[in-house]
C-alpha cells in the first residue's frame, strides 16, 4: 500500500471575543396629556368597609363625635354671646376651634358641610348621620350653658332670634342662605388638603370663608332687602336661634311659618353645601388636579 499522508486536523475557525454591548435606554417620550378625565367622579372616596356594623369597632369614632359635639358647642356659645356684631373676635374664636378640632374629626362643625361630604362620597352615610346628631346636640348644650348664665344674672336679656320668615321674604332669605352655604362648602372642600398637614392654614381658610359669607349676606340682606338677622349658614346653630315660631293665628299658619323656617335655614343650606362640594370637585377635575409651578416659577394648570 502506498504511504498515506496523515490527515491534517481541520482548523477550527477562530472565535472573536465577545463584546458586551451597552444598551442605552431610549429617552422617555413625553406624550401630551389627554386632558382632564371625569372617570370615577362619583366614586366612593371614604372607607368602603365603614358601615353601621363596623364603625363602632374602633374607639376613634367616639373621639370624632366628641370633637364635633364640643366644637359645635363652642361655636354656638360664641354666636350667642359675640354674634355677628363682633366679627374680629368671632374670627379668632373660629380659628381656635377649627385648629383644635381638625385633628379629631376633620372639624365639620356644620350639618351643611357634613351633608356635602356625604353627597360627594367623602364620608359614609352612618358617619355623616352621627356627625349631624353630635352637631345638633353640641349646639343644644351650648344654648343651655349660655341660657343658664343668662337666667342667673341680675338683668335677664332675651336670647337672639332669627327674623320671622313669611311667604314674601322666604325666597330672599333662601337665596342668601343658598349662596353663602355654597361658598362656604366650596372653600371647605378646597381646604381639606390642609386638615392634617397644616391645621392652622385650614382654620384660617375656613374663618376667612365664614367672614366672606357673613359680609356678603349682610350686604345683600340689609342693602337690597332691608332686613337683618336673617341668615346663619349653619342649620344646627339656626335651630337653636329659635327659628321655629311659637305663636300664630291658627294651626295652619303655624305650620306654614315652621315650614318656611325649616326650608330656609335647614334644607336650603344643605342643598347649598352639596352644590359647593360638587363645584369644587368639577373645578379640580377640569384643572387636572390643581395649579402647579416648577422650580423656575413657571406655572400651568
Amino acid at each position: 500500500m502506498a504511504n498515506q499522508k496523515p490527515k491534517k486536523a481541520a482548523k477550527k475557525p477562530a472565535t472573536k471575543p465577545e463584546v458586551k454591548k451597552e444598551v442605552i435606554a431610549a429617552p422617555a417620550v413625553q406624550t401630551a396629556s389627554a386632558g382632564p378625565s371625569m372617570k370615577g367622579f362619583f366614586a366612593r372616596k371614604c372607607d368602603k368597609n365603614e358601615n353601621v356594623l363596623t364603625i363602632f369597632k374602633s374607639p376613634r369614632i367616639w373621639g370624632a363625635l366628641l370633637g364635633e359635639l364640643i366644637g359645635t358647642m363652642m361655636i354656638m356659645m360664641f354666636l350667642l354671646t359675640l354674634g355677628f356684631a363682633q366679627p374680629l373676635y368671632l374670627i379668632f374664636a373660629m380659628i381656635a376651634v377649627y385648629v383644635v378640632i381638625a385633628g379629631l374629626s376633620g372639624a365639620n362643625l356644620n350639618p351643611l358641610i357634613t351633608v356635602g361630604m356625604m353627597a360627594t362620597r367623602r364620608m359614609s352615610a352612618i358617619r355623616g348621620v352621627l356627625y349631624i346628631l353630635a352637631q345638633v346636640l353640641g349646639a343644644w348644650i351650648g344654648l343651655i350653658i349660655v341660657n343658664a348664665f343668662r337666667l342667673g344674672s341680675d338683668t335677664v336679656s332675651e336670647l337672639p332670634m332669627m327674623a320671622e320668615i313669611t311667604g314674601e321674604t322666604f325666597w330672599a332669605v333662601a337665596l342668601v342662605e343658598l349662596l353663602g352655604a355654597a361658598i362656604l362648602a366650596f372653600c371647605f372642600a378646597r381646604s381639606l388638603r390642609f386638615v392634617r398637614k397644616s391645621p392652622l392654614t385650614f382654620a384660617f381658610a375656613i374663618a376667612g370663608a365664614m367672614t366672606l359669607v357673613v359680609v356678603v349676606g349682610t350686604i345683600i340682606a340689609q342693602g337690597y332687602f332691608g332686613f337683618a338677622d336673617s341668615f346663619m349658614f349653619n342649620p344646627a346653630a339656626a335651630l337653636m336661634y329659635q327659628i321655629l315660631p311659637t305663636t300664630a293665628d291658627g294651626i295652619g299658619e303655624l305650620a306654614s311659618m315652621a315650614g318656611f323656617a325649616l326650608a330656609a335655614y335647614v334644607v336650603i343650606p344643605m342643598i347649598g353645601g352639596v352644590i359647593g362640594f360638587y363645584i369644587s370637585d368639577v373645578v379640580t377635575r377640569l384643572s387636572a388636579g390643581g395649579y402647579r409651578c416648577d422650580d423656575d416659577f413657571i406655572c400651568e394648570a
Side-chain angles (χ1 to χ4, degrees):
M1 293 179 61
N3 293 333
Q4 295 181 352
K5 293 181 180 180
K7 294 180 179 181
K8 293 181 180 180
K11 293 183 179 180
K12 294 182 179 180
T15 58
K16 295 181 179 180
E18 296 182 359
V19 179
K20 293 183 179 180
K21 295 183 179 181
E22 184 178 357
V23 179
I24 302 177
V29 179
Q30 295 183 351
T31 58
S33 175
S37 173
M38 303 302 286
K39 183 179 180 181
F41 183 79
F42 296 102
R44 185 169 182 172
K45 306 169 187 67
C46 59
D47 185 5
K48 296 180 180 180
N49 297 321
E50 185 173 88
N51 53 55
V52 69
L53 300 176
T54 61
I55 192 170
F56 294 108
K57 290 184 177 180
S58 172
R60 295 182 62 182
I61 183 62
W62 297 110
L65 294 178
L66 284 175
E68 288 293 309
L69 186 149
I70 295 171
T72 312
M73 178 194 74
M74 291 191 290
I75 287 179
M76 191 69 225
M77 293 172 63
F78 295 148
L79 290 175
L80 289 172
T81 53
L82 298 176
F84 294 134
Q86 303 290 339
L88 185 61
Y89 296 151
L90 189 62
I91 289 173
F92 284 106
M94 293 294 180
I95 290 173
V97 172
Y98 275 93
V99 166
V100 298
I101 303 298
L104 297 175
S105 64
N108 287 190
L109 309 182
N110 192 330
L112 73 86
I113 297 297
T114 303
V115 170
M117 296 274 284
M118 293 167 61
T120 53
R121 309 193 73 181
R122 287 176 168 87
M123 181 180 292
S124 65
I126 180 61
R127 179 178 289 268
V129 171
L130 292 174
Y131 270 32
I132 292 175
L133 292 176
Q135 291 157 5
V136 174
L137 181 59
W140 180 61
I141 294 174
L143 172 65
I144 290 176
I145 293 174
V146 173
N147 197 37
F149 281 104
R150 182 184 71 88
L151 295 176
S153 64
D154 295 332
T155 57
V156 179
S157 57
E158 294 293 330
L159 286 173
M161 296 179 62
M162 303 296 292
E164 185 177 302
I165 296 183
T166 62
E168 298 177 355
T169 61
F170 169 75
W171 286 110
V173 175
L175 289 175
V176 171
E177 285 279 341
L178 182 69
L179 177 62
I183 294 174
L184 184 59
F186 175 82
C187 295
F188 192 96
R190 297 300 303 157
S191 304
L192 281 173
R193 68 186 72 182
F194 301 112
V195 170
R196 295 292 183 185
K197 63 181 182 180
S198 182
L200 186 59
T201 303
F202 169 74
F204 267 101
I206 302 305
M210 294 181 69
T211 305
L212 172 63
V213 298
V214 168
V215 170
V216 171
T218 301
I219 293 174
I220 294 177
Q222 294 184 359
Y224 300 150
F225 298 105
F227 51 80
D229 300 327
S230 57
F231 54 84
M232 182 58 62
F233 311 119
N234 189 325
L239 286 172
M240 302 306 135
Y241 254 67
Q242 306 177 41
I243 62 169
L244 297 178
T246 55
T247 59
D249 293 337
I251 188 66
E253 183 180 355
L254 185 66
S256 176
M257 293 170 63
F260 281 134
L262 288 174
Y265 294 121
V266 178
V267 178
I268 296 295
M270 290 183 177
I271 295 174
V274 174
I275 293 173
F277 268 90
Y278 271 117
I279 291 176
S280 174
D281 285 351
V282 171
V283 170
T284 301
R285 288 301 183 98
L286 293 179
S287 63
Y291 195 71
R292 301 178 299 276
C293 299
D294 58 16
D295 295 336
D296 296 325
F297 297 99
I298 299 176
C299 305
E300 61 180 359

